Amino acid sequence: VIRCRAAVAWAPGKPLSVEEVEVAPPKAGEVRIKLVATGICRTDEHLLQGCFPNAEFPVIPGHEGAGIVESIGEGVTSMKPGDKVMPLCIPQCGECSFCQNPESNFCQKSHISEPQNLLPDKSSRFSCKGKQIHHFLWVSTFAEYTVVPEYAVAKIDAAAPLDKVCLFGCGFSTGYGAAINTAKVKPGSTCAVFGLGGVGLSVVMGCKAAGASRIIAVDINKDKFAKAKELGATDCINPRDLKKPIQEVLTEMTGQGVDYSFEAIGREDTMIAALASCNMSTGVCVMIGVLDSGSKISIDPMLLLTGRTWKGTSLGGWKTRECIPKLVSGYLEKKFNSDLLITHTLPFAKVNEGFELLRAGK
Ligand code: NAD
Ligand code: ZN
């Protein structure tokens, strides 16, 4: 058993508390990882507010981390102690029908199919003050050590800087892949990106890499525009500066609406606006943002009847164990610069300050 620090969410709506926890050794088919760095994603905030489906408290959040294998359980063959790895919030078991389908990345061992508050044998490897603590999406990266099933861990290049590539565990891969894999943005096309957090800015990078000729970035926080432009946005719009609804403005700007729109916020009104912003016939709208669990949206079916496509994406459509290491190699080959997404670097003890920065739009 390893004793180390972890940020525990004891109940919804409370700040995280950095505690000493016990992390049990990995069982068969599991890997214990020493985490080196983790990002903060809006999805962790949904969890802290009690709005993440099927989560259980107390829990160690975090799902965007990178680290080094500390020890392996019986039967683990694809990695060994000392390897650099990323825990994956969408596993790739390799055996289910979705893993075997080249069109899908949504492994049936993912959390929508089955809650991931406990490891597959239905027990937790974490405890604190004699209480069992739940895992989050099996990965729980807000801890110095975590235990994850082997099929939810990707081995990455030994040269990878873990404090930079941890973003590939969620935000960067999600946004970049939403453009490249889910929308399949074509060269010369027009795109609109709603929301310019870590995810939306990564969508901008993906649209640019795919050769889009116009990338319109939309956010109510104008402080996000400089970074969006640096990453490839051609226009930046604040819907609060407009007299007309954003979908009307985007349609006028592009003639019939954009070829591809992306919602990277997680709000009902912006999901509908993003859908209505892509052209009525061949337009594709990709939903990335997560609504509070239980929320519903209603749309006019005419929006789809004319031919539009409305899709969702999980982690940008990448088959995780296979593709995340390739993305890391692409980073090392300088094919894109995801370092531009990093706004702050804080020591672990200041994790609550990180959430305050997220809430403040910084
Ligand atoms: P973030 O909070 O960093 O960014 C959200 C951005 O949206 C902010 O810049 C904010 O100013 C802007 N915004 C808020 N309200 C707006 C409005 N009404 N109009 C325009 N802009 C508005 O969040 P993030 O970490 O980039 O995550 C974005 C969303 O993606 C979240 O809902 C998150 O849960 C979800 N997500 C989904 C996946 C997936 O696999 N589908 C993965 C990661 C994150
Ligand atoms: Zn995430």
Side-chain angles (χ1 to χ4, degrees), residues 187-201:
S189 59
T190 54
C191 303
V193 183
F194 288 69
L196 302 172
V199 176
L201 290 171

Side-chain angles (χ1 to χ4, degrees), residues 250-295:
L250 289 171
T251 305
E252 278 167 19
M253 281 172 76
T254 53
Q256 295 296 325
V258 293
D259 297 308
Y260 307 95
S261 58
F262 300 85
E263 204 272 4
I265 305 167
R267 291 174 53 94
E268 296 162 37
D269 57 343
T270 48
M271 285 182 180
I272 295 169
L275 176 61
S277 300
C278 69
N279 87 61
M280 64 164 74
S281 172
T282 59
V284 175
C285 174
V286 180
M287 235 173 32
I288 311 170
V290 178
L291 286 179
D292 289 350
S293 66
S295 310

